Amino acid sequence: MTILYLLIPLSLILLGLAVWAFFWAVKNDQFEDLEGPAHRILFDEDENDLTPAERERRRQAAQRKPANEGDDDPAER
């Protein structure tokens, strides 16, 4: 019975910590995008897997793409 004098305050402290951690997570947008990481793992294009030369080629291609964006050439499709 005397153990309850220790366990009840300890459980209240742990409950307070859990509530604080939950509100901290909500305040810092930890629950903002719940589906993004699950979908992101399905994509193979990870820039960390590329060689530095390939990364540079992709950056240059991405910079050139907006300039050609207005061209609707049916032959490219």
Side-chain angles (χ1 to χ4, degrees):
M1 182 70 178
T2 58
I3 193 70
L4 290 177
Y5 294 127
L6 175 67
L7 291 178
I8 290 175
L10 186 61
S11 64
L12 291 175
I13 290 171
L14 289 175
L15 176 66
L17 285 173
V19 169
W20 173 82
F22 173 74
F23 282 110
W24 175 86
V26 170
K27 181 180 175 185
N28 289 313
D29 295 328
Q30 297 295 313
F31 301 114
E32 190 67 31
D33 182 18
L34 296 177
E35 293 180 7
H39 293 291
R40 210 173 302 129
I41 198 168
L42 299 175
F43 296 111
D44 287 337
E45 294 184 38
D46 187 12
E47 221 173 279
N48 293 330
D49 295 337
L50 300 175
T51 63
E54 182 64 28
R55 278 189 224 146
E56 186 61 34
R57 267 189 247 123
R58 285 195 180 191
R59 281 191 198 110
Q60 290 174 355
Q63 289 174 353
R64 276 186 258 128
K65 187 175 183 178
N68 298 333
E69 197 171 332
D71 300 337
D72 280 327
D73 188 9
E76 290 181 9
R77 293 181 194 173

